[in-house]
Amino acid sequence: MPSPYRALFAAPGSKAFSAAGFLGRMPLSMMGIGVVTMVSQLTGRYGLAGALSATIALAAAVAGPQVSRLVDRYGQRRVLRPATLVSLTAAAVLLFAAHYEWPEWVLFVACAGIGCVPSVGAMIRARWAALYRGTPRLHTAYSFESVVDEICFIFGPIVSIGLSTAWFPEAGPLLAACFLAAGVFWLTAQRATEPEPHPREHEDGGGTALRAPGLQVLVATFVATGAIFGAVDVVTVAFAEEEGHKAAASVVLAVYALGSCVAGVVFGLLRFAGAPERRWLLGVCAMAVSMIPLLLVGNLPFLAVALFVAGLSIAPTMITTMSLIEEHVPRAQLTEGMTWVSTGLAVGVALGSSVAGWVIDAAGARAGYGVPAVAGAVAVVVGFLGYRRLERPAPGRGGFVGRHDEHEERHLA
């Protein structure tokens, strides 16, 4: 591990909470695609599979910020454990309903309950921020966590799709639920690194972190970005099935995440001068442009190469987004602010997976890749329209990551 990353773990407890966060985030890459694989195998209906995956994402979009707001107010342990138990119970209902062919409305209700899953990535980033706020190490920490996210997306779909196709259809979502339980309960057992709650500060003004104009731009843009991710997942599974190699979809999606992982590792070793919002907008544009080659795919190897290239822009954009959140959201609402971005992604994943499922059912998998291409164009438009808001950080927020110069780096080091 390069020395900037090794230095992160000098802080006591950092290895343990990072490892717990890895386990707790595995369901992020496993549950949605696992439900798509499970339902498509049991029913052959990609429209239904995409709609159920979208229901999970939409429910998470509604519940996630509320859970994180309570975390900022009362602490991670008191809030995450009950929320996780609700999600696990709903997952159990979903598996039974799918296996025993219960009415479709039961499937949708269960998927809505699964959406109560907490945003584990936001919880881990909040712990890093409590350790390294105001130092260049926080940029490295955010980069490391983006790499962990991508590692989850490399192995998660492989495990979820692989188990569901080779063992039994419900295996992928079942293992995702086990990872969630293990990760959250291990994380919340670690009290020493838990960020201090802010009950009084959070009530100040009686509002939500989403009131910040800059955060509104980030969330709106990431709705379109999430549509890219949701559509790519569903269409890739369908495309692989059309090619006669459905199980290969997990490998192709892993290559997509691998591209992001490689870019995230390199990005975390770099230090940047200048405004982070410019890098963020460039990243959004790169994600949009990278969707165009998918319209020309003719086989799985070409698709894998195109997705690897497309993945190179994901992690740097996400890392820069976390830096911008620190500049536009009050410190007492940091977890909520990070979760709102995840919420934007979740809403987009819901839209993208649903629309892609309908397009696949109507016109086939190749036509489905038009959905992420359109979503990328929308993300660029929203990013340009809201750029001026990102140029004006909120006063007194203490945002630091990505806006320091070399003199500040040497002084802080």
Side-chain angles (χ1 to χ4, degrees):
M1 183 181 294
S3 57
Y5 290 105
R6 286 202 306 269
L8 291 177
F9 297 100
S14 55
K15 293 179 181 178
F17 76 67
S18 185
F22 174 75
L23 288 179
R25 270 177 291 186
M26 284 296 288
L28 183 66
S29 64
M30 293 179 64
M31 186 62 77
I33 197 66
V35 169
V36 169
T37 307
M38 175 182 72
V39 174
S40 65
Q41 280 191 265
L42 293 174
T43 69
R45 297 167 58 190
Y46 277 96
L48 175 62
L52 291 172
S53 179
T55 300
I56 295 175
L58 282 175
V62 173
Q66 312 312 318
V67 171
S68 293
R69 185 181 302 179
L70 292 174
V71 167
D72 283 328
R73 183 177 296 182
Y74 299 112
Q76 294 186 2
R77 182 186 178 91
R78 291 180 61 186
V79 176
L80 297 188
R81 290 189 170 188
T84 300
L85 288 176
V86 171
S87 184
L88 292 174
T89 302
V93 172
L94 174 65
L95 297 183
F96 279 107
H99 183 77
Y100 292 106
E101 300 181 357
W102 293 356
E104 288 184 8
W105 68 265
V106 179
L107 299 177
F108 282 97
V109 171
C111 286
I114 293 174
C116 292
V117 60
S119 178
V120 177
M123 307 304 157
I124 301 301
R125 287 177 172 89
R127 293 194 181 216
W128 284 122
L131 287 175
Y132 295 128
R133 179 176 286 110
T135 75
R137 283 188 181 180
L138 189 54
H139 167 77
T140 307
Y142 285 162
S143 300
F144 176 78
E145 290 305 316
S146 289
V147 171
V148 173
D149 284 339
E150 300 310 327
I151 291 175
C152 291
F153 277 95
I154 289 172
F155 293 104
I158 293 176
V159 174
S160 188
I161 297 175
L163 288 179
S164 290
T165 54
W167 197 6
F168 57 92
E170 300 87 356
L174 176 61
L175 184 59
C178 294
F179 277 133
L180 176 65
V184 170
F185 281 85
W186 183 16
L187 176 66
T188 53
Q190 302 173 40
R191 304 299 298 275
T193 55
E194 181 177 343
E196 182 181 353
H198 302 83
R200 295 186 181 276
E201 290 183 60
H202 191 82
E203 292 172 0
D204 185 28
T208 170
L210 195 57
R211 293 184 304 169
L215 182 60
Q216 293 170 6
V217 175
L218 296 174
V219 172
T221 305
F222 273 78
V223 170
T225 302
I228 294 175
F229 301 153
V232 167
D233 280 354
V234 175
V235 179
T236 299
V237 173
F239 183 83
E241 185 174 35
E242 286 186 359
E243 293 290 304
H245 303 283
K246 185 174 182 178
S250 59
V251 178
V252 175
L253 291 173
V255 171
Y256 187 30
L258 178 62
S260 180
C261 183
V262 170
V265 170
V266 175
F267 194 78
L269 299 176
L270 304 176
R271 292 290 179 265
F272 299 94
E277 60 268 14
R278 296 176 186 172
R279 296 192 297 276
W280 175 83
L281 187 57
L282 180 62
V284 172
C285 292
M287 279 195 287
V289 171
S290 69
M291 291 298 104
I292 296 175
L294 301 184
L295 298 170
L296 307 175
V297 295
N299 53 59
L300 287 174
F302 181 84
L303 176 61
V305 173
L307 285 178
F308 177 83
V309 175
L312 294 175
S313 59
I314 296 175
T317 306
M318 292 300 300
I319 295 164
T320 308
T321 299
M322 295 303 155
S323 303
L324 289 172
I325 291 172
E326 278 230 306
E327 296 188 350
H328 291 273
V329 173
R331 182 175 300 180
Q333 296 175 305
L334 180 61
T335 307
E336 182 192 348
M338 291 179 175
T339 305
W340 272 115
V341 171
S342 299
T343 293
L345 284 170
V347 171
V349 167
L351 294 173
S353 59
S354 294
V355 174
W358 295 330
V359 172
I360 292 165
D361 287 342
R366 284 179 174 81
Y369 279 118
V371 177
V374 172
V378 173
V380 171
V381 171
V382 176
F384 272 103
L385 290 177
Y387 182 75
R388 288 188 177 275
R389 292 188 179 188
L390 295 178
E391 289 183 307
R392 298 190 292 271
R397 294 297 185 254
F400 182 85
V401 182
R403 201 181 281 273
H404 51 271
D405 58 26
E406 294 180 2
H407 173 76
E408 289 174 302
E409 273 192 33
R410 289 194 296 270
H411 174 72
L412 289 166

